[in-house]
Amino acid sequence: MRNLAESKRDVCEPTASLIYLLYTRSYTTPILTTSPVQSPIMQVTLVSSDNENFVVDKEVIERSDLIRSMLTDMDESDRPVFPLPNVNAGVLKKVLEYCDHYRGDPLPASDTTEISEWDQKFLQVDQEMLFEIIRAANYLDIKPLLDVACKNVANMIKGKTPEEIRKLLSFNLVNDFTPEEEAQIRKESEWAED
């Protein structure tokens, strides 16, 4: 039968060995961390024109100047609900995809004509969707999205005649200018074709 001193030594030895091991090894990460408890991320509910609800992190939708300004008047403990009567669910999904992709990024410079590779892929949609994205970006006041979508349309029509633009963009516009008026407008706008 072992005495009490021997059993204490057996219990303490692994602890002493573990302490020795911890002090003699170099660790790149601490064993114990004391990180503060993070507060839950505030979420916002957006309701599309076809009554579909989207629960979105505040950080994502703050790309919208409209929503950001409305949130300044809200209590942080609330989960605000914003009806968006001018944006349907399909378009809102695309807009939120854009906002989520650029979550936390600084606002891009709008003075460049370049469109990033990701933005080009994002904007590879049919024309109806493209123009709905432009309307939604304008309504929600998401300037970077509005800028890049408009640049995309500008690149589509660059160097095209009015007739080609009508066909390309399928506006179904009727040319109500007389040939003389059209010639006059072209003459006055020669500087724009450079």
Side-chain angles (χ1 to χ4, degrees):
M1 182 163 180
R2 294 169 27 160
N3 66 24
L4 186 59
E6 286 177 333
S7 56
K8 281 185 183 178
R9 189 181 53 133
D10 288 342
V11 171
C12 294
E13 281 182 317
T15 306
S17 300
L18 180 60
I19 292 171
Y20 174 74
L21 181 66
L22 292 175
Y23 281 105
T24 57
R25 303 254 188 242
S26 62
Y27 288 94
T28 56
T29 57
I31 295 170
L32 299 173
T33 60
T34 55
S35 60
V37 177
Q38 294 182 351
S39 62
I41 296 172
M42 181 181 179
Q43 293 186 317
V44 175
T45 301
L46 305 174
V47 183
S48 67
S49 63
D50 40 355
N51 289 322
E52 193 169 328
N53 290 344
F54 294 85
V55 178
V56 183
D57 291 346
K58 176 184 170 188
E59 182 184 16
V60 171
I61 198 55
E62 279 189 324
R63 283 280 174 188
S64 165
D65 287 341
L66 173 72
I67 301 293
R68 187 177 336 115
S69 68
M70 291 173 17
L71 283 170
T72 58
D73 300 331
M74 296 277 181
D75 183 16
E76 287 286 324
S77 63
D78 295 339
R79 178 187 279 174
V81 177
F82 297 109
L84 303 175
N86 297 343
V87 185
N88 70 41
V91 175
L92 187 53
K93 283 178 191 172
K94 285 295 282 183
V95 169
L96 292 175
E97 179 186 345
Y98 177 88
C99 293
D100 189 46
H101 178 76
Y102 287 106
R103 173 196 297 235
D105 289 354
L107 292 175
S110 62
D111 59 349
T112 179
T113 58
E114 298 291 318
I115 299 176
S116 75
E117 184 178 329
W118 188 90
D119 288 340
Q120 288 175 9
K121 288 179 183 174
F122 172 78
L123 293 171
Q124 287 178 350
V125 294
D126 62 60
Q127 286 181 16
E128 183 179 348
M129 177 61 86
L130 179 60
F131 286 102
E132 288 296 322
I133 289 171
I134 290 172
R135 282 190 208 115
N138 186 47
Y139 173 70
L140 293 169
D141 200 8
I142 305 174
K143 188 169 177 9
L145 177 57
L146 181 61
D147 287 347
V148 76
C150 288
K151 286 175 193 175
N152 190 45
V153 172
N155 288 339
M156 289 168 54
I157 65 175
K158 192 178 206 176
K160 305 242 184 321
T161 66
E163 293 79 26
E164 291 172 325
I165 293 170
R166 282 188 196 98
K167 288 178 187 173
L168 176 70
L169 299 180
S170 59
F171 284 135
N172 297 322
L173 297 176
V174 177
N175 185 1
D176 56 355
F177 289 113
T178 65
E180 295 82 26
E181 290 173 324
E182 205 170 306
Q184 179 64 28
I185 291 171
R186 283 198 178 120
K187 184 178 179 183
E188 291 172 359
S189 304
E190 285 177 349
W191 60 269
E193 293 183 21
D194 294 337

